[in-house]
Amino acid sequence: MKNLKKLLFLITLTFFFQNCTTEENITSNTNGPESIMEPSNLNLENTNSYTLSKFGKDSYWANYIVDRPTTDFLKKQHNASATFFGMGNVPIYFAGGSGTFNALSFSQGYIVWGEELLAGAKGYGNAAIAYVVAHEMAHQIQFRDSRIPSNNHVSATELEADGFGGYYIRKKFTSNWTTAAGAYRFSQTLAGPLGSSHGTAPQRRSAYRLGYLLAENGTYSNRNFDSNFFYYFRKYVLDGQLKKNLKKPETIDKEAHDNILSHLKELHDIYTGKISEKEFMNLNN
């Protein structure tokens, strides 16, 4: 009898702590951005979303998602990228529960991360999380500056965000291409079909690689990065342009320009899919 009472006490205690932990993680409904009651109520009209889905009806605002250490790492990278790109304070919110495989950047100046997306990125390592952070911060750059992106390609907004992501990874996270390429493996699984606003997987790989290469020999303002990115992007997308001599832009130094020129054929072959995903992973720095 004594053992039975002890067992019942332990079960009750376990339930109590589990319940407290759950309640601790769920914020009040008014703690979301702009006092929006639930993540599923977010208006996606003025957003750039990492995937094409919205948050599900069972999602909720949370203090942390996946687990505290992962959320802390996410917040650290979020703040680091905001500082690196000169964005100041960019509020970040967390959507927990099911139906949260997305991260969204809003024109109102904040970013919302979903738990399922963060869990997916975590499966590819911290570098993948850092990359998605920079990609979403790039959308904040685009929202705040009407001159960015300066190109009207159907996928310009997303491909440039991929480029900004590669640039950030090289500047602030790793100079090892194997690690950097691994960071992008998660993202390319979310690419769209040809003509999609998100670009195809090969197109996105090439944009990411270009951003990474631009970072190797230079540091740029957001507008100069935009200008340089699309200058070279437009050239290597069309095979015929590869045979023409490219004048160095004023916004980049000669060493950086020569480095990009030495990779133009490679970038074109990534873009067209001639360089496979496996070969992409094994490129030299």
Side-chain angles (χ1 to χ4, degrees):
M1 187 66 177
K2 183 182 289 186
N3 288 337
L4 179 60
K5 288 182 178 180
K6 185 176 181 180
L7 178 61
L8 289 173
F9 173 76
L10 290 174
I11 292 173
T12 302
L13 193 64
T14 300
F15 174 79
F16 173 77
F17 280 113
Q18 285 179 338
N19 192 53
C20 285
T21 300
T22 301
E23 291 298 322
E24 182 186 48
N25 188 32
I26 300 176
T27 67
S28 65
N29 285 340
T30 57
N31 204 32
E34 303 178 277
S35 297
I36 295 171
M37 296 297 287
E38 304 290 349
S40 58
N41 294 334
L42 287 165
N43 183 356
L44 305 190
E45 184 175 343
N46 296 309
T47 68
N48 281 315
S49 59
Y50 204 70
T51 69
L52 300 179
S53 61
K54 62 183 296 184
F55 291 125
K57 60 182 178 60
D58 295 325
S59 59
Y60 54 85
W61 297 121
N63 290 312
Y64 63 90
I65 49 179
V66 180
D67 54 56
R68 288 188 185 276
T70 303
T71 301
D72 288 343
F73 177 80
L74 167 59
K75 290 194 290 188
K76 181 179 178 180
Q77 290 300 314
H78 174 87
N79 292 333
S81 67
T83 299
F84 178 71
F85 291 121
M87 300 301 289
N89 179 48
V90 179
I92 183 172
Y93 299 93
F94 306 114
S98 61
T100 56
F101 194 81
N102 208 349
L104 303 101
S105 194
F106 288 79
S107 61
Q108 293 90 334
Y110 57 83
I111 294 171
V112 179
W113 270 75
E115 184 165 34
E116 291 175 337
L117 185 86
L118 180 58
K122 182 182 179 182
Y124 287 79
N126 282 343
I129 298 174
Y131 161 72
V132 180
V133 164
H135 179 105
E136 292 307 312
M137 194 60 67
H139 288 318
Q140 286 298 309
I141 295 171
Q142 293 165 338
F143 281 133
R144 294 190 189 186
D145 191 333
S146 61
R147 292 169 58 181
I148 299 176
S150 58
N151 190 274
N152 60 2
H153 181 277
V154 64
S155 305
T157 299
E158 294 297 335
L159 293 178
E160 182 180 53
D162 288 333
F164 269 115
Y167 176 63
Y168 173 79
I169 286 293
R170 176 62 179 84
K171 282 295 186 186
K172 304 301 291 184
F173 197 86
T174 182
S175 60
N176 181 283
W177 173 249
T178 300
T179 301
Y184 196 69
R185 287 181 61 209
F186 169 67
S187 300
Q188 70 178 24
T189 65
L190 309 176
L194 186 64
S196 162
S197 62
H198 280 68
T200 65
Q203 289 172 347
R204 299 191 70 177
R205 284 197 294 269
S206 75
Y208 178 76
R209 174 70 168 171
L210 175 57
Y212 182 90
L213 292 172
L214 281 168
E216 288 194 326
N217 301 101
T219 300
Y220 317 97
S221 68
N222 294 336
R223 284 188 178 180
N224 282 351
F225 177 87
D226 168 88
S227 175
N228 293 334
F229 176 84
F230 283 115
Y231 178 79
Y232 295 111
F233 182 83
R234 287 193 297 267
K235 299 300 181 184
Y236 75 68
V237 166
L238 300 176
D239 190 30
Q241 294 288 334
L242 300 179
K243 300 174 184 177
K244 297 181 179 180
N245 293 325
L246 296 185
K247 182 179 179 181
K248 183 186 77 66
E250 294 182 359
T251 51
I252 195 170
D253 64 30
K254 187 177 186 306
E255 184 180 10
H257 176 66
D258 289 343
N259 183 48
I260 298 299
L261 291 185
S262 70
H263 287 88
L264 276 186
K265 183 64 167 62
E266 169 198 287
L267 288 164
H268 175 74
D269 289 345
I270 296 171
Y271 182 88
T272 61
K274 184 176 180 180
I275 289 180
S276 67
E277 177 186 347
K278 182 178 180 180
E279 291 168 328
F280 175 80
M281 294 291 297
N282 294 320
L283 292 171
N284 295 323
N285 270 6

